[in-house]
Amino acid sequence: MQDSLLNVRPELIEIPSLERLTPRTPSAHKPRMLLLYGSTRERSFSRLVTQEAARLLDEMGAETRIFDPSGLPLPDDAPDTHPKVTELREWMQWSEGQVWCSPERHGSMTAVFKAQIDWVPLAMGAVRPTQGKTLAVMQVCGGSQSFNVVNQLRVLGRWMRMFTIPNQSSVPKAFAEFDELGRMKPSAYYDRLVDVMEELMKFTLLLRDRQDYLVDRYSERKESATELSGRVNQRSI
């Protein structure tokens, strides 16, 4: 061990290895995608874009679930045994990749969307429900194109320890991009949506069998080793 590394615990240092990045038994099931949207309006454009995204992902070979935020209580305004909270948390753990889409309201994501994320803790017992999952971010705008929401969603995704893909979708004047049946019209914005879903699928397939290794951290190994040592010492007293 080099002198510059003497402030670490050598037995807990792991040199990154390409061999460890090769899964022994690659997953054979369809990539599991959870999609969230941020409006409960009857004609919600964030929901319509999300449904288009789900159709594309299904066509690309994914298994999709769209969470309906209607009926989800405000964070901390109900017990975490509430049926909608339980459903959301179970689907979060089920997923391997996610799509987040929110309208822009007052220059930011909606409370409807943020409430969904705020119901999901960074850790549930020994399980981190979002860590290592892939994420695609999208927004819809009532007026000219903006990127306020997707920028905020990227910060939120990082805080939830997710791998947010480089591409993103922002649909301006969303009211003009859908027909009477709620289907998105052909356009450059639709083509971008296809691009984003393709990229999400590629990154999910690339990362899903490697998540545990990619998010394994020295600081957490050190913390676990310290806790284990403390328990052993207590039993020996």
Side-chain angles (χ1 to χ4, degrees):
M1 188 65 63
Q2 298 176 1
D3 291 343
S4 61
L5 298 182
L6 290 179
N7 288 329
V8 301
R9 292 178 56 174
E11 74 277 12
L12 298 178
I13 287 291
E14 181 173 323
I15 306 301
S17 166
L18 283 174
E19 183 179 351
R20 288 288 305 277
L21 285 169
T22 304
R24 295 179 181 178
T25 54
S27 297
H29 63 270
K30 294 182 176 182
R32 299 190 291 259
M33 300 293 190
L34 173 63
L35 298 91
L36 308 179
Y37 60 92
S39 171
T40 56
R41 289 180 176 177
E42 182 176 353
R43 186 170 170 82
S44 163
F45 294 110
S46 64
R47 184 185 72 248
L48 295 180
V49 170
T50 297
Q51 289 172 341
E52 290 291 341
R55 293 185 186 101
L56 288 166
L57 290 171
D58 288 337
E59 187 66 23
M60 293 174 189
E63 178 182 356
T64 60
R65 294 180 183 179
I66 300 176
F67 180 76
D68 180 359
S70 296
L72 182 71
L74 289 172
D76 304 322
D77 199 35
D80 57 14
T81 54
H82 187 284
K84 293 294 291 189
V85 176
T86 299
E87 178 185 54
L88 176 62
R89 291 184 174 185
E90 288 179 351
W91 286 13
M92 279 278 177
Q93 291 179 273
W94 166 86
S95 69
E96 295 171 318
Q98 297 186 19
V99 178
W100 293 356
C101 182
S102 174
E104 179 170 330
R105 184 169 296 170
H106 302 312
S108 66
M109 74 182 78
T110 62
V112 171
F113 187 88
K114 186 59 162 54
Q116 295 173 74
I117 305 304
D118 285 348
W119 268 116
V120 181
L122 286 175
M124 296 167 57
V127 178
R128 299 189 185 277
T130 54
Q131 178 166 285
K133 301 180 189 297
T134 52
L135 172 65
V137 296
M138 309 190 301
Q139 74 172 83
V140 293
C141 311
S144 59
Q145 191 171 44
S146 165
F147 301 96
N148 290 328
V149 171
V150 287
N151 289 338
Q152 293 171 345
L153 293 177
R154 286 185 178 280
V155 173
L156 190 55
R158 184 179 68 222
W159 190 258
M160 301 302 287
R161 301 183 176 184
M162 304 177 77
F163 294 111
T164 307
I165 66 170
N167 215 338
Q168 61 189 25
S169 170
S170 175
V171 182
K173 296 182 179 179
F175 59 86
E177 297 299 324
F178 292 85
D179 62 23
E180 296 79 7
L181 299 177
R183 295 301 307 273
M184 194 170 183
K185 301 173 184 178
S187 69
Y189 301 119
Y190 183 83
D191 293 346
R192 172 59 67 91
L193 182 62
V194 178
D195 291 346
V196 174
M197 294 308 108
E198 278 187 348
E199 190 170 290
L200 177 63
M201 282 288 289
K202 292 174 183 177
F203 274 84
T204 303
L205 290 169
L206 179 67
L207 298 178
R208 68 174 180 171
D209 293 316
R210 301 165 172 85
Q211 291 174 346
D212 290 343
Y213 180 58
L214 290 171
V215 300
D216 184 37
R217 300 175 176 178
Y218 166 77
S219 60
E220 294 178 352
R221 294 195 298 272
K222 180 180 176 181
E223 181 180 357
S224 297
T226 301
E227 291 177 356
L228 178 60
S229 177
R231 289 196 296 268
V232 171
N233 289 338
Q234 285 182 344
R235 286 198 298 266
S236 64
I237 295 176

